Amino acid sequence: MADAAKTENPNLKPPQPPKTSGRGHPFVSEAQEGRPICEAIIFLVVLVAALVAFCGYTWAATGLVSVAALVCGALRLILKERSPWKVRSVPFDAFISIALGIGLLVTYSSIQLML
C-alpha cells in the first residue's frame, strides 16, 4: 500500500522537523531584522518623551512618540526591504507604525476634549 502511494505521487517528501536552536527553542534569525542603531534611536526618543512627560508636557511627549512612529512607518514604506527597522512584512510594519502615530494623537486629543 505504501509503495502505491509513492508511485502515484513521487514528489512527496517526509515532513521536516522544525528548526531549533538546539535547546528546544524555535530558530530565530535576527539577521533579517532591523539594525540596532535604529532601535537605539527609538529608545532614546521614548526616553526623552518620558522625561518630557514627567516635566508636565504630555502633549509634547505624545507628539514625540507619534512623530517617531510615523517616521518609522514612512521609512518602512519608502525603503521596503532596505529599511533599518523591520519586524514583519512591509505592509504590516507600515500599518502598525502609522496607526500608532495617528492613534496616539487622536487618543490624546479626545482625552483633552473630555477634560
Side-chain angles (χ1 to χ4, degrees), residues 3-20:
D3 292 332
K6 286 183 181 177
T7 57
E8 290 175 12
N9 193 353
N11 293 330
L12 284 178
K13 294 180 182 177
Q16 300 293 323
K19 293 181 180 180
T20 62

Side-chain angles (χ1 to χ4, degrees), residues 5 40 45-47 51 58 60 65 71 76 78 85 89 93 105:
V45 168
V46 171
L47 187 65
L51 291 173
T58 54
V65 175
V71 167
R76 188 71 168 120
I78 294 166
W85 179 76
S89 66
D93 290 345
L105 292 174

Side-chain angles (χ1 to χ4, degrees), residues 30-64:
E30 292 187 5
Q32 301 294 327
E33 294 181 8
R35 293 184 183 90
I37 188 72
C38 186
E39 294 171 4
I41 291 170
I42 296 302
F43 173 75
L44 290 175
V45 168
V46 171
L47 187 65
V48 167
L51 291 173
V52 169
F54 184 73
C55 291
Y57 299 103
T58 54
W59 175 247
T62 304
L64 279 172

Side-chain angles (χ1 to χ4, degrees), residues 45-103:
V45 168
V46 171
L47 187 65
V48 167
L51 291 173
V52 169
F54 184 73
C55 291
Y57 299 103
T58 54
W59 175 247
T62 304
L64 279 172
V65 175
S66 295
V67 167
L70 291 169
V71 167
C72 283
L75 277 175
R76 188 71 168 120
L77 273 177
I78 294 166
L79 298 176
K80 306 239 186 259
E81 293 303 319
R82 296 181 326 222
S83 173
W85 179 76
K86 299 177 189 177
V87 177
R88 300 279 180 219
S89 66
V90 173
F92 178 83
D93 290 345
F95 173 77
I96 292 297
S97 293
I98 293 170
L100 173 67
I102 294 171

